[in-house]
Amino acid sequence: MNSQALQLLISVAGITVMVAICWALFGRAMGSLSSAEDAVTTLARDIPGFRAGEKTISRDGRAALIEDVRDGAIYLAIIRGGDVVTRKLSRGLGLARDGDRLELRLKDFTLRRADLDLADADSWETKLKGLAA
């Protein structure tokens, strides 16, 4: 075995050991929204002047849709890892509905799509159709 292959092998083994130690120490944190108010708190902190209007949370507690009464904008709050990520939904949004499930396809390379299982999917589909045009 030549020296470059041995160096590569040692590097890969070292990285594997570090990842395993991090996983053993910290686990795989999966957050959730206990209520839509958790998402409202995050949005109020991130967006100056945000005032929550109509809101809904997915049945699994991993996503929420919140309307801003100030300008009618709709925001998506979704759990990624152990934190909440928010996006303002804009024109060009891809939207598909299957029963109570809404699939949102975003033009955002860091968050391409979101699946929400909502009790009030029909009313949110109506709200989002304007953005999907």
Side-chain angles (χ1 to χ4, degrees), residues 1 9 14 16 18 26 30 36 54-55 59 92 127 129:
M1 182 180 288
L9 184 63
T16 303
M18 287 188 287
F26 305 111
M30 297 299 286
E54 192 173 341
K55 55 192 166 283
R59 288 188 173 112
K127 286 179 180 278
K129 276 190 178 180

Side-chain angles (χ1 to χ4, degrees), residues 4 11 15 18 20 30 38 42-44 48 64 67 83 90 92 96 99 101 109 116 120-121 130:
Q4 288 179 337
S11 296
I15 292 169
M18 287 188 287
M30 297 299 286
D38 291 347
T42 300
L43 286 167
E67 186 174 20
D83 206 2
S90 59
R101 190 177 147 275
F109 73 94
L116 294 90
D120 51 353

Side-chain angles (χ1 to χ4, degrees), residues 1-132:
M1 182 180 288
N2 66 26
S3 62
Q4 288 179 337
L6 181 61
Q7 186 177 9
L8 179 63
L9 184 63
I10 291 170
S11 296
V12 169
I15 292 169
T16 303
V17 168
M18 287 188 287
V19 169
I21 289 171
C22 286
W23 184 79
L25 290 175
F26 305 111
R28 186 170 176 208
M30 297 299 286
S32 68
L33 298 167
S34 58
S35 71
E37 294 305 318
D38 291 347
V40 168
T41 302
T42 300
L43 286 167
R45 183 188 66 225
D46 292 348
I47 301 163
F50 179 81
R51 292 185 330 172
E54 192 173 341
K55 55 192 166 283
T56 188
I57 189 166
S58 64
R59 288 188 173 112
D60 62 1
R62 306 216 14 97
L65 292 171
I66 302 100
E67 186 174 20
D68 187 347
V69 296
R70 187 175 42 102
D71 60 4
I74 298 175
Y75 291 86
L76 168 69
I78 190 165
I79 295 293
R80 287 291 184 248
D83 206 2
V84 179
V85 175
T86 60
R87 295 291 186 271
K88 180 179 180 179
L89 300 180
S90 59
R91 293 220 177 271
L93 170 75
L95 177 65
R97 179 173 169 221
D98 182 20
D100 287 347
R101 190 177 147 275
L102 284 180
E103 179 187 334
L104 307 177
R105 291 176 306 284
L106 309 162
K107 292 184 177 182
D108 182 336
F109 73 94
T110 61
L111 183 62
R112 294 254 182 228
R113 70 179 265 223
D115 291 316
L116 294 90
D117 186 11
L118 304 172
D120 51 353
D122 55 342
S123 67
W124 283 96
E125 179 188 28
T126 303
K127 286 179 180 278
L128 293 171
K129 276 190 178 180
L131 296 174

